[in-house]
Amino acid sequence: MTRLDEREGRPGSADELGLPEDAPVYRAVGLSRDEVAELLTGRHVRRAEDGVWEVPIVLKSLRDAVETMVPVPLSHVNLNADLVGYVEEEAAEIPKKEPIRLVVLLPEAERAAADDGVLRALMRAYFRERLRRFRAEERQALRSVGAATFWGFVFMLGCQVVRWLANFPEHPTITSTISEGMLVLGWVALWNPYDRLLFAWWPALKKRRLVERLAGATLELRVLPFRLPD
């Protein structure tokens, strides 16, 4: 993953990027050379002058932000999956405990007609619901791991009892085979609960903490500084 400090040190102008003075692709997308350079380098996470890290979101219309056409923050309205994935990926690179601002960049006409309050309410409702689901999944996973660990120990205890009972002095090979087999079987039963308890929950915890940060992020609508291609 690209580090933020590496991103800030990369070239930004058209000359630094080595873009040609003229190219058919400029006319095809309806953008100038400098606008293409801005698209290539200007739409990434950066720290604003007030110290807040900004995650820019470029949209042609606010309708592109939701999966349905209902423009109110109802529980069944979902944000666009690609948009959510992009925001979470970009926000994951921001240093921990730093404030986050989601900046939605819209064409001038769309920005003038946009209802800031609706989008803010939708974003808050969506990420809070997402956070609630993550917490519920964590609690369910913890209960599941606890139950699996308990029954794993019970099974291991049963295996130890079998090892103690399977003692045949006249047949040491059979005794050793049963003893070692029961020991291995007992540890195999505990392997998955131990793995889930010690390691598997960590990525889910990091994801939940990221969504917590996004649920508390501010949102701002701004005018896109150039025209998007049709």
Side-chain angles (χ1 to χ4, degrees):
M1 181 178 290
T2 305
R3 290 171 52 86
L4 284 172
D5 51 3
E6 293 173 347
R7 285 180 162 196
E8 291 173 352
R10 69 186 184 185
S13 69
D15 291 334
E16 291 173 330
L17 287 169
L19 293 176
E21 290 294 336
D22 187 29
V25 68
Y26 300 159
R27 294 184 291 275
V29 298
L31 297 177
S32 68
R33 178 171 176 262
D34 290 338
E35 289 171 344
V36 170
E38 176 69 10
L39 275 177
L40 291 175
T41 62
R43 307 273 71 83
H44 56 77
V45 172
R46 55 192 167 204
R47 189 195 293 270
E49 293 181 358
D50 60 1
V52 179
W53 288 90
E54 295 185 343
V55 179
I57 306 168
V58 179
L59 298 175
K60 287 186 177 181
S61 169
L62 286 182
R63 290 189 298 271
D64 295 336
V66 296
E67 296 284 3
T68 70
M69 297 300 291
V70 183
V72 290
L74 301 177
S75 60
H76 62 274
V77 178
N78 290 324
L79 293 181
N80 183 286
D82 292 335
L83 184 150
V84 173
Y86 158 75
V87 169
E88 292 182 348
E89 181 180 345
E90 294 294 301
E93 299 182 15
I94 297 175
K96 295 178 180 179
K97 299 183 180 180
E98 292 283 345
I100 299 174
R101 179 187 297 129
L102 305 179
V103 179
V104 178
L105 299 164
L106 294 163
E108 186 173 2
E110 285 286 335
R111 173 64 188 91
D115 189 332
D116 300 33
V118 168
L119 185 59
R120 288 193 182 96
L122 175 58
M123 286 283 191
R124 284 196 301 269
Y126 178 83
F127 281 111
R128 286 175 182 173
E129 175 63 19
R130 191 168 172 82
L131 180 58
R132 185 194 66 79
R133 291 178 182 176
F134 272 118
R135 286 173 174 167
E137 289 173 2
E138 275 188 9
R139 290 192 295 270
Q140 182 178 359
L142 186 59
R143 288 193 295 268
S144 175
V145 169
T149 303
F150 171 78
W151 289 112
F153 272 115
V154 170
F155 187 80
M156 169 63 93
L157 181 60
C159 290
Q160 295 293 77
V161 170
V162 172
R163 292 182 69 201
W164 179 71
L165 293 175
N167 184 16
F168 307 106
E170 301 83 2
H171 305 285
T173 301
I174 295 177
T175 299
S176 175
T177 300
I178 294 176
S179 177
E180 296 300 322
M182 287 294 100
L183 181 62
V184 171
L185 187 60
W187 280 116
V188 168
L190 283 172
W191 178 266
N192 181 260
Y194 279 173
D195 178 66
R196 291 160 61 190
L197 185 63
L198 298 176
F199 306 108
W201 63 274
W202 183 245
L205 179 62
K206 291 177 64 177
K207 186 78 168 181
R208 192 259 293 168
R209 288 177 176 173
L210 175 62
V211 174
E212 275 184 339
R213 298 177 67 194
L214 290 173
T218 58
L219 185 139
E220 183 177 328
L221 271 63
R222 297 177 187 169
V223 175
L224 195 63
F226 51 84
R227 182 181 59 83
L228 285 174
D230 296 330

